Amino acid sequence: MPRYVRNLVIALVVIAALYGLDFVFQGRLINPYFSRILMLSGISITLAVSLNLINGFTGQFSIGHAGFMAVGAYSSAYFSVNYGASLAAALGNGKPGWAVALAAATLIGAICAGLAGLVVGVPSLRLKGDYLAIVTLGFGQIIVVFLNNIEAVGGARGYSGIPIVKSFFWIFLVAILTITIVYNIVNSAFGRALISIREDELASEAMGVNTTRYKVMAFVISSAMAGAGGVLLAHFDGYLNPKSFEFIKSFEILIMVILGGLGSIVGSVLGAILLTVLPEALRGFAEYRMVIYSLLLIILMITRPQGLLGKAGAVKGKRMLAKPRTPVAMKTRDTGSVTPMVDGSISQGQRDTSLGEEKTR
């Protein structure tokens, strides 16, 4: 069977399965409380997998994901409130009309978030490590300040009147598309370039990889998918408040990625589900709920710092440290013969001729 035919069949099967599950949820055959948790897990999956593209596979430390999520949420909500109903009415005001309006809102939210990612990424992705984290964190806070002062989207009192769409089909279709996009990126030449940047950016530049361009592209794609996650949240609750997108939200998404394992798509999915379900499962402990939740995270990070599905195990890492380094060939002063250094240290007779004169180190 040709590859494109197989992919088409898989896509049709997935869509049919999602549609059938959506019928089950819409028919109230499952407790609405469990249904809500499951759909929130789907939104979290979209956010965690999208952040893993930049933090896990590209190796950049971004903690402004909530800002891009807010851009997507508010832009799509504004479109739905002001133009979505008229677009749906023009198409018959039935399910097909609202499906088109919802698809347009999702596309608009993703595009706006992607443009915001481009604006932030071009000047800031020349930075590395903590500096990049501070820039992205600052961007997220700037977005919150702007939203608090824009009356067109409700300002500090929040934005209400957004069409509520609690559709299992829509939420998990976006989540599966996000997973598929990231998976195809990682398994392409583009993904190999991102991983090379993560492993050694300087070596990648030496091999001719335009590291800034690849980092910006990954940042824009990740931001667009975060915007799509914001669209899901906006239409799921029907209400938005700037306080929902402060830096604590970015840290929640980051914890999902780290918990599951940086550079693992399945790990991001697992981390998103766990960190959505766990706080709800601990509600029976009332005032001790968040304490227990925090302790469980601390214990997990101590016992398995690479995450649930991280590639290198703790024991394996210790063994790697105990292994002798690769032999390095060194020239001796007297004969110029090659002498392997087992531990990679410099031999007593090695010469330094970098300045045109022989010096024994």
mmCIF file with all atom_site columns, all heavy atoms in Angstrom, residues 242-269:
data_model
loop_
_atom_site.group_PDB
_atom_site.id
_atom_site.type_symbol
_atom_site.label_atom_id
_atom_site.label_alt_id
_atom_site.label_comp_id
_atom_site.label_asym_id
_atom_site.label_entity_id
_atom_site.label_seq_id
_atom_site.pdbx_PDB_ins_code
_atom_site.Cartn_x
_atom_site.Cartn_y
_atom_site.Cartn_z
_atom_site.occupancy
_atom_site.B_iso_or_equiv
_atom_site.pdbx_formal_charge
_atom_site.auth_seq_id
_atom_site.auth_comp_id
_atom_site.auth_asym_id
_atom_site.auth_atom_id
_atom_site.pdbx_PDB_model_num
ATOM 1   N N   . PRO A 1 242 ? -7.200 38.070 31.808 1.00 0.00 ? 242 PRO A N   1
ATOM 2   C CA  . PRO A 1 242 ? -5.738 38.174 31.674 1.00 0.00 ? 242 PRO A CA  1
ATOM 3   C C   . PRO A 1 242 ? -4.965 37.446 32.764 1.00 0.00 ? 242 PRO A C   1
ATOM 4   O O   . PRO A 1 242 ? -3.849 36.973 32.527 1.00 0.00 ? 242 PRO A O   1
ATOM 5   C CB  . PRO A 1 242 ? -5.493 39.689 31.743 1.00 0.00 ? 242 PRO A CB  1
ATOM 6   C CG  . PRO A 1 242 ? -6.771 40.302 31.280 1.00 0.00 ? 242 PRO A CG  1
ATOM 7   C CD  . PRO A 1 242 ? -7.854 39.393 31.768 1.00 0.00 ? 242 PRO A CD  1
ATOM 8   N N   . LYS A 1 243 ? -5.538 37.332 33.958 1.00 0.00 ? 243 LYS A N   1
ATOM 9   C CA  . LYS A 1 243 ? -4.839 36.655 35.048 1.00 0.00 ? 243 LYS A CA  1
ATOM 10  C C   . LYS A 1 243 ? -4.604 35.175 34.763 1.00 0.00 ? 243 LYS A C   1
ATOM 11  O O   . LYS A 1 243 ? -3.726 34.563 35.375 1.00 0.00 ? 243 LYS A O   1
ATOM 12  C CB  . LYS A 1 243 ? -5.636 36.800 36.342 1.00 0.00 ? 243 LYS A CB  1
ATOM 13  C CG  . LYS A 1 243 ? -5.643 38.213 36.906 1.00 0.00 ? 243 LYS A CG  1
ATOM 14  C CD  . LYS A 1 243 ? -6.366 38.269 38.235 1.00 0.00 ? 243 LYS A CD  1
ATOM 15  C CE  . LYS A 1 243 ? -6.336 39.681 38.813 1.00 0.00 ? 243 LYS A CE  1
ATOM 16  N NZ  . LYS A 1 243 ? -7.052 39.751 40.118 1.00 0.00 ? 243 LYS A NZ  1
ATOM 17  N N   . SER A 1 244 ? -5.386 34.609 33.845 1.00 0.00 ? 244 SER A N   1
ATOM 18  C CA  . SER A 1 244 ? -5.219 33.191 33.501 1.00 0.00 ? 244 SER A CA  1
ATOM 19  C C   . SER A 1 244 ? -3.950 32.938 32.700 1.00 0.00 ? 244 SER A C   1
ATOM 20  O O   . SER A 1 244 ? -3.558 31.776 32.524 1.00 0.00 ? 244 SER A O   1
ATOM 21  C CB  . SER A 1 244 ? -6.425 32.699 32.698 1.00 0.00 ? 244 SER A CB  1
ATOM 22  O OG  . SER A 1 244 ? -7.619 32.879 33.429 1.00 0.00 ? 244 SER A OG  1
ATOM 23  N N   . PHE A 1 245 ? -3.301 34.003 32.216 1.00 0.00 ? 245 PHE A N   1
ATOM 24  C CA  . PHE A 1 245 ? -2.149 33.844 31.336 1.00 0.00 ? 245 PHE A CA  1
ATOM 25  C C   . PHE A 1 245 ? -0.887 34.468 31.925 1.00 0.00 ? 245 PHE A C   1
ATOM 26  O O   . PHE A 1 245 ? 0.038  34.817 31.191 1.00 0.00 ? 245 PHE A O   1
ATOM 27  C CB  . PHE A 1 245 ? -2.456 34.462 29.971 1.00 0.00 ? 245 PHE A CB  1
ATOM 28  C CG  . PHE A 1 245 ? -3.671 33.887 29.309 1.00 0.00 ? 245 PHE A CG  1
ATOM 29  C CD1 . PHE A 1 245 ? -4.881 34.566 29.352 1.00 0.00 ? 245 PHE A CD1 1
ATOM 30  C CD2 . PHE A 1 245 ? -3.613 32.657 28.674 1.00 0.00 ? 245 PHE A CD2 1
ATOM 31  C CE1 . PHE A 1 245 ? -6.014 34.026 28.757 1.00 0.00 ? 245 PHE A CE1 1
ATOM 32  C CE2 . PHE A 1 245 ? -4.735 32.114 28.069 1.00 0.00 ? 245 PHE A CE2 1
ATOM 33  C CZ  . PHE A 1 245 ? -5.937 32.797 28.124 1.00 0.00 ? 245 PHE A CZ  1
ATOM 34  N N   . GLU A 1 246 ? -0.836 34.588 33.247 1.00 0.00 ? 246 GLU A N   1
ATOM 35  C CA  . GLU A 1 246 ? 0.367  35.110 33.873 1.00 0.00 ? 246 GLU A CA  1
ATOM 36  C C   . GLU A 1 246 ? 1.455  34.042 33.882 1.00 0.00 ? 246 GLU A C   1
ATOM 37  O O   . GLU A 1 246 ? 1.245  32.908 33.459 1.00 0.00 ? 246 GLU A O   1
ATOM 38  C CB  . GLU A 1 246 ? 0.045  35.605 35.274 1.00 0.00 ? 246 GLU A CB  1
ATOM 39  C CG  . GLU A 1 246 ? -0.833 36.850 35.258 1.00 0.00 ? 246 GLU A CG  1
ATOM 40  C CD  . GLU A 1 246 ? -1.062 37.423 36.638 1.00 0.00 ? 246 GLU A CD  1
ATOM 41  O OE1 . GLU A 1 246 ? -0.863 36.679 37.628 1.00 0.00 ? 246 GLU A OE1 1
ATOM 42  O OE2 . GLU A 1 246 ? -1.459 38.606 36.725 1.00 0.00 ? 246 GLU A OE2 1
ATOM 43  N N   . PHE A 1 247 ? 2.640  34.406 34.398 1.00 0.00 ? 247 PHE A N   1
ATOM 44  C CA  . PHE A 1 247 ? 3.816  33.531 34.259 1.00 0.00 ? 247 PHE A CA  1
ATOM 45  C C   . PHE A 1 247 ? 3.616  32.159 34.902 1.00 0.00 ? 247 PHE A C   1
ATOM 46  O O   . PHE A 1 247 ? 4.251  31.191 34.504 1.00 0.00 ? 247 PHE A O   1
ATOM 47  C CB  . PHE A 1 247 ? 5.056  34.218 34.842 1.00 0.00 ? 247 PHE A CB  1
ATOM 48  C CG  . PHE A 1 247 ? 5.009  34.415 36.322 1.00 0.00 ? 247 PHE A CG  1
ATOM 49  C CD1 . PHE A 1 247 ? 5.514  33.452 37.179 1.00 0.00 ? 247 PHE A CD1 1
ATOM 50  C CD2 . PHE A 1 247 ? 4.481  35.573 36.867 1.00 0.00 ? 247 PHE A CD2 1
ATOM 51  C CE1 . PHE A 1 247 ? 5.482  33.625 38.549 1.00 0.00 ? 247 PHE A CE1 1
ATOM 52  C CE2 . PHE A 1 247 ? 4.446  35.755 38.239 1.00 0.00 ? 247 PHE A CE2 1
ATOM 53  C CZ  . PHE A 1 247 ? 4.948  34.777 39.081 1.00 0.00 ? 247 PHE A CZ  1
ATOM 54  N N   . ILE A 1 248 ? 2.708  32.066 35.888 1.00 0.00 ? 248 ILE A N   1
ATOM 55  C CA  . ILE A 1 248 ? 2.492  30.766 36.536 1.00 0.00 ? 248 ILE A CA  1
ATOM 56  C C   . ILE A 1 248 ? 1.952  29.745 35.547 1.00 0.00 ? 248 ILE A C   1
ATOM 57  O O   . ILE A 1 248 ? 2.238  28.555 35.634 1.00 0.00 ? 248 ILE A O   1
ATOM 58  C CB  . ILE A 1 248 ? 1.545  30.923 37.762 1.00 0.00 ? 248 ILE A CB  1
ATOM 59  C CG1 . ILE A 1 248 ? 1.527  29.653 38.581 1.00 0.00 ? 248 ILE A CG1 1
ATOM 60  C CG2 . ILE A 1 248 ? 0.150  31.329 37.301 1.00 0.00 ? 248 ILE A CG2 1
ATOM 61  C CD1 . ILE A 1 248 ? 2.821  29.339 39.265 1.00 0.00 ? 248 ILE A CD1 1
ATOM 62  N N   . LYS A 1 249 ? 1.175  30.223 34.562 1.00 0.00 ? 249 LYS A N   1
ATOM 63  C CA  . LYS A 1 249 ? 0.647  29.321 33.525 1.00 0.00 ? 249 LYS A CA  1
ATOM 64  C C   . LYS A 1 249 ? 1.783  28.788 32.661 1.00 0.00 ? 249 LYS A C   1
ATOM 65  O O   . LYS A 1 249 ? 1.795  27.601 32.297 1.00 0.00 ? 249 LYS A O   1
ATOM 66  C CB  . LYS A 1 249 ? -0.380 30.058 32.658 1.00 0.00 ? 249 LYS A CB  1
ATOM 67  C CG  . LYS A 1 249 ? -1.059 29.176 31.624 1.00 0.00 ? 249 LYS A CG  1
ATOM 68  C CD  . LYS A 1 249 ? -1.903 28.107 32.273 1.00 0.00 ? 249 LYS A CD  1
ATOM 69  C CE  . LYS A 1 249 ? -2.628 27.255 31.244 1.00 0.00 ? 249 LYS A CE  1
ATOM 70  N NZ  . LYS A 1 249 ? -3.425 26.182 31.880 1.00 0.00 ? 249 LYS A NZ  1
ATOM 71  N N   . SER A 1 250 ? 2.738  29.630 32.336 1.00 0.00 ? 250 SER A N   1
ATOM 72  C CA  . SER A 1 250 ? 3.899  29.183 31.556 1.00 0.00 ? 250 SER A CA  1
ATOM 73  C C   . SER A 1 250 ? 4.683  28.123 32.317 1.00 0.00 ? 250 SER A C   1
ATOM 74  O O   . SER A 1 250 ? 5.150  27.132 31.732 1.00 0.00 ? 250 SER A O   1
ATOM 75  C CB  . SER A 1 250 ? 4.813  30.365 31.233 1.00 0.00 ? 250 SER A CB  1
ATOM 76  O OG  . SER A 1 250 ? 4.183  31.277 30.380 1.00 0.00 ? 250 SER A OG  1
ATOM 77  N N   . PHE A 1 251 ? 4.830  28.303 33.630 1.00 0.00 ? 251 PHE A N   1
ATOM 78  C CA  . PHE A 1 251 ? 5.550  27.319 34.441 1.00 0.00 ? 251 PHE A CA  1
ATOM 79  C C   . PHE A 1 251 ? 4.792  25.998 34.505 1.00 0.00 ? 251 PHE A C   1
ATOM 80  O O   . PHE A 1 251 ? 5.403  24.932 34.530 1.00 0.00 ? 251 PHE A O   1
ATOM 81  C CB  . PHE A 1 251 ? 5.795  27.875 35.846 1.00 0.00 ? 251 PHE A CB  1
ATOM 82  C CG  . PHE A 1 251 ? 6.931  28.839 35.917 1.00 0.00 ? 251 PHE A CG  1
ATOM 83  C CD1 . PHE A 1 251 ? 6.703  30.180 36.207 1.00 0.00 ? 251 PHE A CD1 1
ATOM 84  C CD2 . PHE A 1 251 ? 8.232  28.431 35.680 1.00 0.00 ? 251 PHE A CD2 1
ATOM 85  C CE1 . PHE A 1 251 ? 7.757  31.076 36.265 1.00 0.00 ? 251 PHE A CE1 1
ATOM 86  C CE2 . PHE A 1 251 ? 9.290  29.326 35.739 1.00 0.00 ? 251 PHE A CE2 1
ATOM 87  C CZ  . PHE A 1 251 ? 9.050  30.661 36.026 1.00 0.00 ? 251 PHE A CZ  1
ATOM 88  N N   . GLU A 1 252 ? 3.469  26.050 34.537 1.00 0.00 ? 252 GLU A N   1
ATOM 89  C CA  . GLU A 1 252 ? 2.684  24.819 34.539 1.00 0.00 ? 252 GLU A CA  1
ATOM 90  C C   . GLU A 1 252 ? 2.936  24.003 33.275 1.00 0.00 ? 252 GLU A C   1
ATOM 91  O O   . GLU A 1 252 ? 3.122  22.782 33.325 1.00 0.00 ? 252 GLU A O   1
ATOM 92  C CB  . GLU A 1 252 ? 1.195  25.151 34.659 1.00 0.00 ? 252 GLU A CB  1
ATOM 93  C CG  . GLU A 1 252 ? 0.771  25.622 36.035 1.00 0.00 ? 252 GLU A CG  1
ATOM 94  C CD  . GLU A 1 252 ? -0.706 25.988 36.080 1.00 0.00 ? 252 GLU A CD  1
ATOM 95  O OE1 . GLU A 1 252 ? -1.398 25.778 35.051 1.00 0.00 ? 252 GLU A OE1 1
ATOM 96  O OE2 . GLU A 1 252 ? -1.163 26.485 37.114 1.00 0.00 ? 252 GLU A OE2 1
ATOM 97  N N   . ILE A 1 253 ? 2.953  24.688 32.139 1.00 0.00 ? 253 ILE A N   1
ATOM 98  C CA  . ILE A 1 253 ? 3.208  23.990 30.864 1.00 0.00 ? 253 ILE A CA  1
ATOM 99  C C   . ILE A 1 253 ? 4.634  23.457 30.831 1.00 0.00 ? 253 ILE A C   1
ATOM 100 O O   . ILE A 1 253 ? 4.894  22.332 30.364 1.00 0.00 ? 253 ILE A O   1
ATOM 101 C CB  . ILE A 1 253 ? 2.949  24.929 29.676 1.00 0.00 ? 253 ILE A CB  1
ATOM 102 C CG1 . ILE A 1 253 ? 1.517  25.477 29.729 1.00 0.00 ? 253 ILE A CG1 1
ATOM 103 C CG2 . ILE A 1 253 ? 3.173  24.201 28.353 1.00 0.00 ? 253 ILE A CG2 1
ATOM 104 C CD1 . ILE A 1 253 ? 1.263  26.611 28.751 1.00 0.00 ? 253 ILE A CD1 1
ATOM 105 N N   . LEU A 1 254 ? 5.577  24.249 31.339 1.00 0.00 ? 254 LEU A N   1
ATOM 106 C CA  . LEU A 1 254 ? 6.976  23.814 31.374 1.00 0.00 ? 254 LEU A CA  1
ATOM 107 C C   . LEU A 1 254 ? 7.144  22.577 32.248 1.00 0.00 ? 254 LEU A C   1
ATOM 108 O O   . LEU A 1 254 ? 7.890  21.652 31.890 1.00 0.00 ? 254 LEU A O   1
ATOM 109 C CB  . LEU A 1 254 ? 7.850  24.954 31.888 1.00 0.00 ? 254 LEU A CB  1
ATOM 110 C CG  . LEU A 1 254 ? 9.354  24.688 31.982 1.00 0.00 ? 254 LEU A CG  1
ATOM 111 C CD1 . LEU A 1 254 ? 9.930  24.401 30.597 1.00 0.00 ? 254 LEU A CD1 1
ATOM 112 C CD2 . LEU A 1 254 ? 10.068 25.870 32.619 1.00 0.00 ? 254 LEU A CD2 1
ATOM 113 N N   . ILE A 1 255 ? 6.444  22.527 33.376 1.00 0.00 ? 255 ILE A N   1
ATOM 114 C CA  . ILE A 1 255 ? 6.521  21.358 34.266 1.00 0.00 ? 255 ILE A CA  1
ATOM 115 C C   . ILE A 1 255 ? 5.990  20.119 33.558 1.00 0.00 ? 255 ILE A C   1
ATOM 116 O O   . ILE A 1 255 ? 6.534  19.020 33.720 1.00 0.00 ? 255 ILE A O   1
ATOM 117 C CB  . ILE A 1 255 ? 5.741  21.635 35.563 1.00 0.00 ? 255 ILE A CB  1
ATOM 118 C CG1 . ILE A 1 255 ? 6.458  22.683 36.401 1.00 0.00 ? 255 ILE A CG1 1
ATOM 119 C CG2 . ILE A 1 255 ? 5.586  20.359 36.390 1.00 0.00 ? 255 ILE A CG2 1
ATOM 120 C CD1 . ILE A 1 255 ? 5.662  23.177 37.582 1.00 0.00 ? 255 ILE A CD1 1
ATOM 121 N N   . MET A 1 256 ? 4.934  20.273 32.766 1.00 0.00 ? 256 MET A N   1
ATOM 122 C CA  . MET A 1 256 ? 4.400  19.138 32.002 1.00 0.00 ? 256 MET A CA  1
ATOM 123 C C   . MET A 1 256 ? 5.471  18.544 31.094 1.00 0.00 ? 256 MET A C   1
ATOM 124 O O   . MET A 1 256 ? 5.631  17.317 31.009 1.00 0.00 ? 256 MET A O   1
ATOM 125 C CB  . MET A 1 256 ? 3.199  19.572 31.163 1.00 0.00 ? 256 MET A CB  1
ATOM 126 C CG  . MET A 1 256 ? 1.977  19.963 31.950 1.00 0.00 ? 256 MET A CG  1
ATOM 127 S SD  . MET A 1 256 ? 0.662  20.580 30.864 1.00 0.00 ? 256 MET A SD  1
ATOM 128 C CE  . MET A 1 256 ? -0.531 21.146 32.083 1.00 0.00 ? 256 MET A CE  1
ATOM 129 N N   . VAL A 1 257 ? 6.209  19.425 30.418 1.00 0.00 ? 257 VAL A N   1
ATOM 130 C CA  . VAL A 1 257 ? 7.243  18.964 29.482 1.00 0.00 ? 257 VAL A CA  1
ATOM 131 C C   . VAL A 1 257 ? 8.394  18.298 30.223 1.00 0.00 ? 257 VAL A C   1
ATOM 132 O O   . VAL A 1 257 ? 8.871  17.222 29.838 1.00 0.00 ? 257 VAL A O   1
ATOM 133 C CB  . VAL A 1 257 ? 7.761  20.156 28.638 1.00 0.00 ? 257 VAL A CB  1
ATOM 134 C CG1 . VAL A 1 257 ? 8.893  19.710 27.726 1.00 0.00 ? 257 VAL A CG1 1
ATOM 135 C CG2 . VAL A 1 257 ? 6.631  20.751 27.814 1.00 0.00 ? 257 VAL A CG2 1
ATOM 136 N N   . ILE A 1 258 ? 8.849  18.922 31.305 1.00 0.00 ? 258 ILE A N   1
ATOM 137 C CA  . ILE A 1 258 ? 9.973  18.365 32.068 1.00 0.00 ? 258 ILE A CA  1
ATOM 138 C C   . ILE A 1 258 ? 9.578  17.063 32.744 1.00 0.00 ? 258 ILE A C   1
ATOM 139 O O   . ILE A 1 258 ? 10.362 16.112 32.797 1.00 0.00 ? 258 ILE A O   1
ATOM 140 C CB  . ILE A 1 258 ? 10.460 19.398 33.104 1.00 0.00 ? 258 ILE A CB  1
ATOM 141 C CG1 . ILE A 1 258 ? 11.030 20.615 32.382 1.00 0.00 ? 258 ILE A CG1 1
ATOM 142 C CG2 . ILE A 1 258 ? 11.511 18.784 34.029 1.00 0.00 ? 258 ILE A CG2 1
ATOM 143 C CD1 . ILE A 1 258 ? 11.420 21.748 33.298 1.00 0.00 ? 258 ILE A CD1 1
ATOM 144 N N   . LEU A 1 259 ? 8.359  17.004 33.265 1.00 0.00 ? 259 LEU A N   1
ATOM 145 C CA  . LEU A 1 259 ? 7.887  15.783 33.911 1.00 0.00 ? 259 LEU A CA  1
ATOM 146 C C   . LEU A 1 259 ? 7.851  14.614 32.937 1.00 0.00 ? 259 LEU A C   1
ATOM 147 O O   . LEU A 1 259 ? 8.286  13.506 33.253 1.00 0.00 ? 259 LEU A O   1
ATOM 148 C CB  . LEU A 1 259 ? 6.498  16.011 34.510 1.00 0.00 ? 259 LEU A CB  1
ATOM 149 C CG  . LEU A 1 259 ? 5.814  14.800 35.153 1.00 0.00 ? 259 LEU A CG  1
ATOM 150 C CD1 . LEU A 1 259 ? 6.586  14.350 36.388 1.00 0.00 ? 259 LEU A CD1 1
ATOM 151 C CD2 . LEU A 1 259 ? 4.375  15.127 35.536 1.00 0.00 ? 259 LEU A CD2 1
ATOM 152 N N   . GLY A 1 260 ? 7.343  14.854 31.739 1.00 0.00 ? 260 GLY A N   1
ATOM 153 C CA  . GLY A 1 260 ? 7.266  13.785 30.744 1.00 0.00 ? 260 GLY A CA  1
ATOM 154 C C   . GLY A 1 260 ? 8.617  13.420 30.168 1.00 0.00 ? 260 GLY A C   1
ATOM 155 O O   . GLY A 1 260 ? 8.841  12.268 29.792 1.00 0.00 ? 260 GLY A O   1
ATOM 156 N N   . GLY A 1 261 ? 9.527  14.394 30.095 1.00 0.00 ? 261 GLY A N   1
ATOM 157 C CA  . GLY A 1 261 ? 10.850 14.144 29.513 1.00 0.00 ? 261 GLY A CA  1
ATOM 158 C C   . GLY A 1 261 ? 11.093 15.064 28.335 1.00 0.00 ? 261 GLY A C   1
ATOM 159 O O   . GLY A 1 261 ? 10.353 15.034 27.357 1.00 0.00 ? 261 GLY A O   1
ATOM 160 N N   . LEU A 1 262 ? 12.123 15.891 28.439 1.00 0.00 ? 262 LEU A N   1
ATOM 161 C CA  . LEU A 1 262 ? 12.471 16.795 27.339 1.00 0.00 ? 262 LEU A CA  1
ATOM 162 C C   . LEU A 1 262 ? 12.851 15.987 26.103 1.00 0.00 ? 262 LEU A C   1
ATOM 163 O O   . LEU A 1 262 ? 13.622 15.039 26.174 1.00 0.00 ? 262 LEU A O   1
ATOM 164 C CB  . LEU A 1 262 ? 13.632 17.701 27.747 1.00 0.00 ? 262 LEU A CB  1
ATOM 165 C CG  . LEU A 1 262 ? 13.306 18.795 28.765 1.00 0.00 ? 262 LEU A CG  1
ATOM 166 C CD1 . LEU A 1 262 ? 14.588 19.431 29.282 1.00 0.00 ? 262 LEU A CD1 1
ATOM 167 C CD2 . LEU A 1 262 ? 12.410 19.852 28.147 1.00 0.00 ? 262 LEU A CD2 1
ATOM 168 N N   . GLY A 1 263 ? 12.300 16.369 24.961 1.00 0.00 ? 263 GLY A N   1
ATOM 169 C CA  . GLY A 1 263 ? 12.597 15.668 23.720 1.00 0.00 ? 263 GLY A CA  1
ATOM 170 C C   . GLY A 1 263 ? 11.783 14.416 23.507 1.00 0.00 ? 263 GLY A C   1
ATOM 171 O O   . GLY A 1 263 ? 12.086 13.623 22.619 1.00 0.00 ? 263 GLY A O   1
ATOM 172 N N   . SER A 1 264 ? 10.724 14.212 24.281 1.00 0.00 ? 264 SER A N   1
ATOM 173 C CA  . SER A 1 264 ? 9.864  13.043 24.122 1.00 0.00 ? 264 SER A CA  1
ATOM 174 C C   . SER A 1 264 ? 8.421  13.514 23.888 1.00 0.00 ? 264 SER A C   1
ATOM 175 O O   . SER A 1 264 ? 7.838  14.165 24.759 1.00 0.00 ? 264 SER A O   1
ATOM 176 C CB  . SER A 1 264 ? 9.922  12.154 25.364 1.00 0.00 ? 264 SER A CB  1
ATOM 177 O OG  . SER A 1 264 ? 8.927  11.144 25.303 1.00 0.00 ? 264 SER A OG  1
ATOM 178 N N   . ILE A 1 265 ? 7.867  13.193 22.729 1.00 0.00 ? 265 ILE A N   1
ATOM 179 C CA  . ILE A 1 265 ? 6.493  13.595 22.412 1.00 0.00 ? 265 ILE A CA  1
ATOM 180 C C   . ILE A 1 265 ? 5.517  12.827 23.294 1.00 0.00 ? 265 ILE A C   1
ATOM 181 O O   . ILE A 1 265 ? 4.593  13.416 23.881 1.00 0.00 ? 265 ILE A O   1
ATOM 182 C CB  . ILE A 1 265 ? 6.190  13.349 20.917 1.00 0.00 ? 265 ILE A CB  1
ATOM 183 C CG1 . ILE A 1 265 ? 7.087  14.235 20.049 1.00 0.00 ? 265 ILE A CG1 1
ATOM 184 C CG2 . ILE A 1 265 ? 4.719  13.644 20.615 1.00 0.00 ? 265 ILE A CG2 1
ATOM 185 C CD1 . ILE A 1 265 ? 6.944  13.993 18.568 1.00 0.00 ? 265 ILE A CD1 1
ATOM 186 N N   . VAL A 1 266 ? 5.720  11.520 23.410 1.00 0.00 ? 266 VAL A N   1
ATOM 187 C CA  . VAL A 1 266 ? 4.843  10.709 24.260 1.00 0.00 ? 266 VAL A CA  1
ATOM 188 C C   . VAL A 1 266 ? 4.959  11.169 25.709 1.00 0.00 ? 266 VAL A C   1
ATOM 189 O O   . VAL A 1 266 ? 3.973  11.198 26.451 1.00 0.00 ? 266 VAL A O   1
ATOM 190 C CB  . VAL A 1 266 ? 5.193  9.213  24.129 1.00 0.00 ? 266 VAL A CB  1
ATOM 191 C CG1 . VAL A 1 266 ? 4.306  8.369  25.026 1.00 0.00 ? 266 VAL A CG1 1
ATOM 192 C CG2 . VAL A 1 266 ? 5.040  8.760  22.683 1.00 0.00 ? 266 VAL A CG2 1
ATOM 193 N N   . GLY A 1 267 ? 6.166  11.551 26.116 1.00 0.00 ? 267 GLY A N   1
ATOM 194 C CA  . GLY A 1 267 ? 6.362  12.050 27.473 1.00 0.00 ? 267 GLY A CA  1
ATOM 195 C C   . GLY A 1 267 ? 5.577  13.325 27.726 1.00 0.00 ? 267 GLY A C   1
ATOM 196 O O   . GLY A 1 267 ? 4.998  13.504 28.806 1.00 0.00 ? 267 GLY A O   1
ATOM 197 N N   . SER A 1 268 ? 5.525  14.219 26.739 1.00 0.00 ? 268 SER A N   1
ATOM 198 C CA  . SER A 1 268 ? 4.745  15.450 26.884 1.00 0.00 ? 268 SER A CA  1
ATOM 199 C C   . SER A 1 268 ? 3.265  15.144 27.029 1.00 0.00 ? 268 SER A C   1
ATOM 200 O O   . SER A 1 268 ? 2.565  15.779 27.827 1.00 0.00 ? 268 SER A O   1
ATOM 201 C CB  . SER A 1 268 ? 4.974  16.365 25.674 1.00 0.00 ? 268 SER A CB  1
ATOM 202 O OG  . SER A 1 268 ? 6.307  16.803 25.623 1.00 0.00 ? 268 SER A OG  1
ATOM 203 N N   . VAL A 1 269 ? 2.792  14.178 26.254 1.00 0.00 ? 269 VAL A N   1
ATOM 204 C CA  . VAL A 1 269 ? 1.382  13.779 26.351 1.00 0.00 ? 269 VAL A CA  1
ATOM 205 C C   . VAL A 1 269 ? 1.093  13.226 27.745 1.00 0.00 ? 269 VAL A C   1
ATOM 206 O O   . VAL A 1 269 ? 0.098  13.601 28.388 1.00 0.00 ? 269 VAL A O   1
ATOM 207 C CB  . VAL A 1 269 ? 1.045  12.731 25.268 1.00 0.00 ? 269 VAL A CB  1
ATOM 208 C CG1 . VAL A 1 269 ? -0.367 12.188 25.463 1.00 0.00 ? 269 VAL A CG1 1
ATOM 209 C CG2 . VAL A 1 269 ? 1.193  13.336 23.875 1.00 0.00 ? 269 VAL A CG2 1
#
